[in-house]
Amino acid sequence: KFYQHATTEASQATLASVSPVFAVMKLDKEGNTTYFEKKKTELYQELGLQARDLRFQHLMSIATRNNRIIMRMEFLKAVITPEFLLILDYRNLNLEHWLFNELASQLAGEGQLVTYSLPFEFRAIEAILQYRISKLQGRLNTLQPQILETLEALVDPKLLSVDRSKLHILLQNGKSLSELETDLKVFKETILEILDEEELIEELCLSKWTDPQVFEESASGIDHAEEMELLLENYYRQAEDLANEARELRVLIDDSESIIFINLDSHRNVMMRLNLQLTMGTFSLSLFGLIGVAFGMNLESSLEEDPRIFWLVTGIMFLGSGLIWRRLLSFLGRHLEPPLPPHVPAVLKKSQPAAGRVEIKNSLKAETFGLSRSTLTN
């Protein structure tokens, strides 16, 4: 037993020594910022959480544990309490500008947060959601002009061939657009899961259960749960608008691809028709070239002595080849031209409006007869 106990203590000490260390940025209600490093075990014990709560397994999540809000927005890992906000692993190039220049002032009320008059957790949640929406909006603003410029260059009817470099750029932009659509979908689903459960919205209002003044305000008519629901719905609508814009870009890409394929098919048909015409011309020359082959053989006849025979045979060859080629071209044109629409006789054209007028007159007569009967009945 003593050996097992010593082994357990040694293993725990080893795990504690290798446990990850979080670089923590702490912001309070006034925007004061402090920085420190703390082991994961010590941090979740101080916050009253479990070890699994600080794993941040999903790219986006909003959960509540022991009157704490745990948020994950891609690279951003945050823990919100009624008194302060903790940003974990803040040493990230994608977050430095926002963390050091904007977040503290927003929490202190110097920014444009709508929830400044509400408890601290409202400001923290709004600041994080605003940051996430602004990042998604920036990605869409970067992709949209690139995609439109590429599509405009690809759909140009003056180009007989498609630039492969433009297609490669369009493929990369399409992948980026798909990733953006996925991120927007995850953002919407995460917020929608909270909006569908009233208990989750109530749990997000931390100060309602810890601050007696806030609890009295909620009892007197200021419903903080409703304010939290409006806050989440606002950012859900913004994400929905971004998703609609991304969807329009996706539809535009699909339509442009259809136009590109149609143009390529048209150019391919032109090349095939030109190839067919040249083949028919070669066939015509070969057919009447047999005459020259016959006269070019080393056979003696009385015709080779006449100087006019050469020009006569050459003229017959070219004239016959031209006539055959012309005949084949006319045959090709008749079979490749689209059929004309069927001819509508003039009698039918005139009879249709007349029949329509007769039907209208009959309906008007029926309505008039019905009105007169109702009048007599009254």
Side-chain angles (χ1 to χ4, degrees):
K1 291 181 180 179
F2 176 77
Y3 176 74
Q4 292 178 354
H5 181 69
T7 306
T8 305
E9 289 183 351
S11 62
Q12 290 179 354
T14 304
L15 290 175
S17 62
V18 298
S19 62
V21 177
F22 285 125
V24 184
M25 179 180 181
K26 181 179 180 180
L27 300 100
D28 58 8
K29 297 180 180 180
E30 288 75 22
N32 300 322
T33 308
T34 55
Y35 308 93
F36 57 89
E37 293 184 357
K38 186 161 290 190
K39 292 183 179 181
K40 180 180 179 180
T41 54
E42 298 176 357
L43 184 61
Y44 71 70
Q45 288 175 2
E46 289 182 4
L47 296 174
L49 301 174
Q50 299 293 329
R52 64 176 180 272
D53 297 331
L54 299 182
R55 288 175 185 167
F56 300 100
Q57 298 177 353
H58 304 284
L59 288 178
M60 181 174 176
S61 61
I62 303 175
T64 55
R65 296 284 190 279
N66 195 18
N67 207 30
R68 303 285 189 266
I69 300 175
I70 305 167
M71 296 186 67
R72 172 74 184 268
M73 296 287 171
E74 200 174 11
F75 299 108
L76 180 62
K77 307 172 185 177
V79 178
I80 304 172
T81 69
E83 293 81 19
F84 54 84
L85 166 65
L86 297 180
I87 304 295
L88 309 181
D89 292 337
Y90 66 91
R91 293 168 183 170
N92 191 302
L93 296 177
N94 297 327
L95 303 176
E96 283 185 353
H97 177 74
W98 175 70
L99 288 176
F100 297 108
N101 299 331
E102 299 179 9
L103 181 57
S105 60
Q106 288 179 347
L107 295 178
E110 299 176 3
Q112 299 179 352
L113 297 181
V114 183
T115 58
Y116 175 67
S117 59
L118 294 172
F120 176 75
E121 65 269 14
F122 284 82
R123 282 177 276 164
I125 292 175
E126 184 181 4
I128 294 174
L129 292 179
Q130 189 181 70
Y131 161 75
R132 182 60 176 161
I133 283 291
S134 63
K135 295 293 289 184
L136 294 174
Q137 179 72 54
R139 289 168 58 184
L140 182 62
N141 293 338
T142 304
L143 280 175
Q144 189 171 12
Q146 296 178 359
I147 291 176
L148 294 178
E149 182 181 358
T150 306
L151 292 179
E152 185 178 359
L154 288 173
V155 183
D156 190 359
K158 298 179 181 179
L159 300 177
L160 298 179
S161 62
V162 179
D163 190 357
R164 291 187 177 181
S165 62
K166 296 292 184 181
L167 286 177
H168 183 66
I169 294 173
L170 182 63
L171 179 62
Q172 292 179 344
N173 292 334
K175 291 181 179 179
S176 301
L177 184 62
S178 299
E179 294 175 358
L180 177 60
E181 289 177 339
T182 303
D183 293 341
L184 287 170
K185 181 181 179 181
V186 172
F187 184 89
K188 289 165 51 183
E189 289 178 351
T190 304
I191 295 182
L192 192 60
E193 288 177 359
I194 301 175
L195 291 175
D196 290 339
E197 298 291 338
E198 295 183 0
E199 296 180 358
L200 297 178
I201 298 175
E202 291 282 352
E203 292 176 358
L204 291 177
C205 303
L206 305 179
S207 300
K208 183 177 180 180
W209 314 109
T210 58
D211 192 347
Q213 182 179 358
V214 176
F215 185 78
E216 291 177 0
E217 290 178 356
S218 300
S220 63
I222 302 176
D223 192 355
H224 288 83
E226 185 177 353
E227 295 292 339
M228 181 65 70
E229 184 178 1
L230 292 175
L231 174 64
L232 296 176
E233 284 182 351
N234 179 28
Y235 285 97
Y236 179 83
R237 286 195 298 269
Q238 293 185 30
E240 183 68 26
D241 294 339
L242 294 179
N244 291 333
E245 294 182 13
R247 196 177 301 113
E248 290 177 359
L249 279 179
R250 175 63 62 188
V251 172
L252 187 60
I253 290 175
D254 295 339
D255 294 342
S256 301
E257 288 179 352
S258 301
I259 295 174
I260 292 171
F261 290 146
I262 291 173
N263 290 335
L264 291 177
D265 290 339
S266 176
H267 295 315
R268 191 182 299 111
N269 293 335
V270 171
M271 297 302 295
M272 291 175 63
R273 183 163 183 166
L274 178 61
N275 187 20
L276 184 59
Q277 291 176 354
L278 293 177
T279 303
M280 290 188 299
T282 305
F283 171 75
S284 303
L285 287 174
S286 301
L287 182 63
F288 280 86
L290 295 175
I291 302 176
V293 172
F295 279 94
M297 290 188 297
N298 296 326
L299 299 176
E300 295 182 358
S301 62
S302 59
L303 297 177
E304 64 269 7
E305 298 178 358
D306 193 349
R308 294 172 297 178
I309 295 297
F310 171 77
W311 300 107
L312 179 63
V313 172
T314 303
I316 293 173
M317 288 170 54
F318 281 102
L319 181 60
S321 300
L323 291 175
I324 291 294
W325 189 42
R326 187 66 179 173
R327 183 67 177 175
L328 291 175
L329 288 180
S330 61
F331 176 79
L332 177 65
R334 285 197 308 269
H335 284 77
L336 290 182
E337 289 180 356
L340 296 176
H343 179 68
V344 180
V347 179
L348 293 177
K349 291 183 180 179
K350 293 181 180 180
S351 61
Q352 290 177 357
R357 286 195 296 269
V358 170
E359 291 179 359
I360 294 172
K361 288 181 180 180
N362 293 333
S363 62
L364 289 176
K365 288 180 179 180
E367 292 177 1
T368 307
F369 181 70
L371 290 174
S372 61
R373 289 187 61 184
S374 62
T375 305
L376 291 174
T377 306
N378 293 331

